[in-house]
Amino acid sequence: MAKAQQHIRKTTCEEAEKWFNDLIDGYLKGKTRTELEYHIDHCKHCFGRVEFEKKLKERIRTAKVDRNTASLRKKIVRLLDEV
Amino acid sequence: MEFLQQHHQLMSAPRIFVSSGDFDKLYPALKTVKSKVSKHDDLKKSILDCLDDLYRFALSLSHNSTDAEDLVSETVLKAIENISKLNDKTKMKQWLFRILSHKFIDQRRKSKRFPHLSLEKENNESANFSLYESVSHSSFTENETPESSLMQKFLDENIQQAIMELPEVFRVALVLCDKEEMSYQEIAEMLDVAVGTVRSRIARGRSILQKKLWQQALEMGIRTRTTAPSKEKECTCGEEKTLTSNIEQPILSEK
């Protein structure tokens, strides 16, 4: 394990921050992902930030909006029948 | 549409006996009308299938049910007018989202009803803003970490309000990614922009959104510490980062 870690380039917080969005959205792969994950595993601050950003993304996803579409559905059906 | 009227006339016309010669002439026309009616029914069905998603998307962008309904209606009308341009019928939903996105951006830019949200101003004010950086150095509550406490305090309304305050292009990209869970590639195709542009709009949108949420947090009574802790983070990267750049200057008003 320690031997494998020797080959991972250490990244700074500033470098790591550039990849947070890609990591959260699931686009980070390969070497960059490995390096970033290594950094996050060893950096309490960046770990906290990534976890926070993930929670915020989930919070945005689940924030409810009024979804009553009954009246709109009637309106659209009428519109489709008219044209 | 004309073919619907033709179909209606044919179906309601008094039955008459036709000779086999006349029937041979009428049959292809009737077949064409029937085929058009069937295509119209398919179109109607696929639009109605997407309606809930379309309305949710419109509402996330406009946060007003009347505006959202208008946006959906105009989208449907435009879709019907341009249906011949849709080659792959399985992509109806993406196509409708695309029309709605463009309509929304166009409308906001032209309308005097909505204040113009300057991209440049927002970019300058909220460049790389991190809510986590700010809130983790605040005194929100003594029992929990400030960030988890803040997350619980935020209501759906707060989140939606912050989304509403984003400039249109960032709002569309962020809603498509974070609410509609579309990939960068799908968003890029939908908006006719490069994947890199989508990535950058989402990053900028999140930054601005976090700044808006931080402003709301300050209004809720969150207080920044007067002295920023210097070595709170435990990092092995060897970088000494003071974490003060993003922190608002103390506003000690209680609400």
Side-chain angles (χ1 to χ4, degrees):
Chain A
M1 181 71 179
K3 208 171 185 180
Q5 284 176 357
Q6 281 174 6
H7 299 289
I8 299 173
R9 187 179 71 89
K10 284 189 177 177
T11 49
T12 64
C13 292
E14 206 169 27
E15 286 173 321
E17 277 171 19
K18 288 177 191 162
W19 298 106
F20 285 169
N21 278 313
D22 289 86
L23 181 75
I24 290 159
D25 292 333
Y27 291 104
L28 216 52
K29 288 184 180 124
K31 199 178 149 198
T32 314
R33 187 187 174 106
T34 311
E35 286 174 1
L36 185 62
E37 282 177 344
Y38 181 81
H39 177 87
I40 289 167
D41 284 348
H42 293 80
C43 175
K44 191 183 171 189
H45 174 75
C46 287
F47 175 80
R49 179 158 165 199
V50 168
E51 288 303 302
F52 180 80
E53 301 262 354
K54 280 182 189 170
K55 277 183 197 156
L56 186 58
K57 182 180 158 92
E58 181 60 14
R59 193 72 188 74
I60 292 168
R61 191 183 69 79
T62 55
K64 283 188 187 124
V65 287
D66 173 20
R67 295 189 63 185
N68 185 2
T69 56
S71 69
L72 176 67
R73 193 165 282 274
K74 275 186 190 168
K75 195 174 164 185
I76 298 295
V77 168
R78 208 168 49 235
L79 189 74
L80 287 165
D81 285 341
E82 278 171 10
V83 291
Chain B
M1 278 183 208
E2 200 186 342
F3 65 84
L4 275 177
Q5 287 167 353
Q6 286 172 354
H7 177 254
H8 184 68
Q9 280 167 5
L10 278 169
M11 297 310 283
S12 58
R15 305 265 167 174
I16 50 165
F17 291 103
V18 291
S19 67
S20 59
D22 289 338
F23 182 79
D24 287 345
K25 283 178 198 165
L26 281 173
Y27 185 71
L30 185 61
K31 214 175 159 185
T32 311
V33 171
K34 274 200 162 182
S35 153
K36 283 182 178 175
V37 170
S38 161
K39 275 183 187 166
H40 181 266
D41 286 346
D42 289 348
L43 171 66
K44 188 174 163 181
K45 187 182 178 305
S46 35
I47 288 176
L48 291 176
D49 284 349
C50 303
L51 201 61
D52 286 353
D53 293 338
L54 207 57
Y55 180 62
R56 187 188 58 232
F57 178 46
L59 205 50
S60 298
L61 295 177
S62 64
H63 198 42
N64 172 309
S65 56
T66 311
D67 288 345
E69 288 195 8
D70 287 349
L71 204 51
V72 172
S73 303
E74 285 170 28
T75 300
V76 170
L77 270 178
K78 183 148 189 189
I80 295 165
E81 281 167 21
N82 295 284
I83 191 66
S84 58
K85 291 180 187 166
L86 177 65
N87 297 324
D88 184 355
K89 299 285 188 278
T90 61
K91 293 200 168 171
M92 176 63 88
K93 184 181 164 183
Q94 288 93 320
W95 190 60
L96 289 171
F97 269 56
R98 176 197 174 106
I99 297 173
L100 198 145
S101 305
H102 288 299
K103 270 218 161 292
F104 169 73
I105 293 172
D106 284 351
Q107 262 182 14
R108 295 286 161 143
R109 283 178 179 165
K110 287 175 192 165
S111 174
K112 289 178 184 167
R113 261 179 69 202
F114 306 102
H116 177 64
L117 302 166
S118 161
L119 296 186
E120 210 171 304
K121 182 173 173 277
E122 292 289 357
N123 263 336
N124 294 338
E125 284 183 2
S126 312
N128 300 319
F129 183 86
S130 162
L131 181 59
Y132 177 78
E133 304 265 353
S134 300
V135 81
S136 60
H137 295 97
S138 63
S139 314
F140 202 60
T141 164
E142 289 173 5
N143 301 326
E144 296 171 87
T145 61
E147 54 273 20
S148 66
S149 184
L150 179 69
M151 202 65 91
Q152 286 169 11
K153 288 267 179 192
F154 280 139
L155 304 172
D156 289 352
E157 200 56 33
N158 297 115
I159 305 276
Q160 195 56 43
Q161 183 58 40
I163 293 174
M164 282 298 297
E165 290 172 8
L166 294 177
E168 291 81 8
V169 289
F170 298 147
R171 198 187 314 176
V172 168
L174 188 120
V175 167
L176 287 172
C177 177
D178 287 355
K179 279 192 99 67
E180 299 301 326
E181 300 180 276
M182 288 188 181
S183 71
Y184 289 180
Q185 185 66 43
E186 283 174 318
I187 300 170
E189 282 171 17
M190 193 177 288
L191 301 178
D192 271 333
V193 293
V195 172
T197 307
V198 172
R199 179 178 277 112
S200 134
R201 284 183 187 177
I202 289 168
R204 306 294 315 119
R206 283 180 182 156
S207 230
I208 300 167
L209 181 103
Q210 292 190 15
K211 177 92 187 256
K212 303 285 179 197
L213 288 172
W214 176 239
Q215 284 161 354
Q216 290 189 32
L218 292 171
E219 285 167 17
M220 283 179 200
I222 191 170
R223 297 195 302 175
T224 51
R225 288 178 189 158
T226 45
T227 51
S230 57
K231 285 186 181 177
E232 278 213 348
K233 81 175 176 170
E234 294 165 20
C235 179
T236 57
C237 73
E239 186 190 15
E240 288 288 328
K241 202 176 173 190
T242 59
L243 300 175
T244 53
S245 59
N246 271 329
I247 302 172
E248 289 271 327
Q249 288 309 302
I251 297 173
L252 299 173
S253 62
E254 290 275 10
K255 227 184 177 184

